[in-house]
Amino acid sequence: MSKQGQRVILSLRQMIVNGDLAAGERLREESLAERLGVSRTPIRVALKLLAQEGLLQTVGARGYAVREISSEEIRNAVDVRGVLEGMAARLLAEAGMTETVRETLKKCLDQGDQLFSRGTIDEEDVVSFHDLNMTFHNTIIDNCGNSAVKNAIMLNDHIPFASVSSIAIDSSAMDREYLRLTFANVQHHLVFDALINRQGTRAEALMREHANAALRYADIFGVGGGDNAAIKMLRNGQLSD
């Protein structure tokens, strides 16, 4: 997907989180394209992908509306992803990484470190982090030696905010977003250290914590508003244990 397409998805996802696109609201390609200053093509692709994430529901033959999402739905899905990704990390740590896997993960860490080395980020950096984040997680999942784990994660990804790709960005608070994403990058380093040292139990615990960070640390990195009750709770840190 093009960087413009990635930015459109990030923008629309954040508009849902903020409540700019309210639960039940019918979405129209033309008005969204005008609002974001793009053509209708990336809007059409983004709406389809957001529907696959479970953030939108189909209306009629080709339309979409924002779904009402329950807090329990989000919490349960994130918990499941934590368990599955934790299992994948443990299996990979116990089996040991190939040189190719090790190099791929190390490259993600190096790219992340370089990305945050300036002490600030912009929306282009968020798109870059999204890509390396997907590579980091998928490399662990794809090489854990258990295809059932991957298949289960793919099913769980259809629930809102369960997928590792479900990054939203608040462009009005980039200092806060810098802290949030830097923290995620640090967690990647810790997971990698456990994998290198073949510490299965530690790798599993770290990956589970990493998966749940969006819920557990929302109150540290700031809050937002929105008409969707579950997303309000997500942003306010009320879904944390």
Side-chain angles (χ1 to χ4, degrees):
M1 180 182 295
S2 68
K3 288 190 178 295
Q4 182 189 59
Q6 295 259 16
R7 285 194 294 270
V8 168
I9 291 175
L10 288 171
S11 296
L12 291 176
R13 192 184 289 122
Q14 187 61 39
M15 289 165 72
I16 294 172
V17 171
N18 288 342
D20 296 329
L21 299 175
E25 180 176 347
R26 178 74 178 267
L27 304 181
R28 303 187 184 281
E29 291 179 8
E30 186 174 355
S31 60
L32 290 173
E34 182 178 354
R35 191 169 178 176
L36 296 180
V38 297
S39 69
R40 293 175 64 175
T41 299
I43 296 293
R44 188 177 302 118
V45 172
L47 294 179
K48 181 178 179 181
L49 291 175
L50 292 175
Q52 291 175 357
E53 288 182 19
L55 286 174
L56 307 178
Q57 59 188 6
T58 56
V59 178
R62 299 172 59 185
Y64 295 99
V66 179
R67 273 191 58 210
E68 178 67 44
I69 305 166
S70 72
S71 58
E72 183 178 13
E73 185 178 15
I74 296 175
R75 182 193 296 113
N76 289 346
V78 173
D79 281 346
V80 168
R81 180 163 69 87
V83 170
L84 292 171
E85 288 202 339
M87 180 178 178
R90 175 176 58 80
L91 291 172
L92 180 58
E94 291 174 349
M97 294 184 290
T98 65
E99 190 61 31
T100 299
V101 170
R102 178 172 177 157
E103 288 178 359
T104 300
L105 295 179
K106 184 62 168 59
K107 183 178 180 180
C108 291
L109 298 180
D110 292 342
Q111 290 175 337
D113 292 344
Q114 183 177 2
L115 198 64
F116 300 116
S117 64
R118 300 194 315 271
T120 183
I121 57 171
D122 55 27
E123 292 187 14
E124 190 77 17
D125 295 325
V126 176
V127 173
S128 297
F129 182 78
H130 172 275
D131 292 342
L132 72 86
N133 187 56
M134 287 289 294
T135 299
F136 186 87
H137 284 257
N138 288 339
T139 298
I140 293 173
I141 294 166
D142 291 343
N143 292 278
C144 74
N146 189 328
S147 61
V149 172
K150 180 177 180 178
N151 292 335
I153 289 174
M154 290 174 64
L155 287 174
N156 196 59
D157 281 351
H158 292 293
I159 300 174
F161 296 103
S163 172
V164 70
S165 68
S166 298
I167 294 178
I169 188 72
D170 186 351
S171 58
S172 67
M174 295 305 289
D175 288 347
R176 182 185 67 204
E177 298 296 357
Y178 172 82
L179 291 174
R180 181 168 66 92
L181 297 183
T182 301
F183 180 77
N185 188 58
V186 170
Q187 288 186 310
H188 284 179
H189 275 277
L190 295 174
V191 170
F192 182 69
D193 181 72
L195 292 173
I196 285 180
N197 290 290
R198 303 187 70 166
Q199 298 168 329
T201 300
R202 177 170 172 249
E204 181 172 22
L206 287 168
M207 202 63 169
R208 289 185 68 167
E209 177 66 18
H210 181 50
N212 282 275
L215 303 184
R216 298 177 185 275
Y217 297 98
D219 54 338
I220 294 177
F221 299 112
V223 300
D227 293 334
N228 193 325
I231 295 179
K232 276 186 179 180
M233 294 179 71
L234 174 69
R235 297 292 292 172
N236 289 333
Q238 295 169 6
L239 293 182
S240 56
D241 293 340

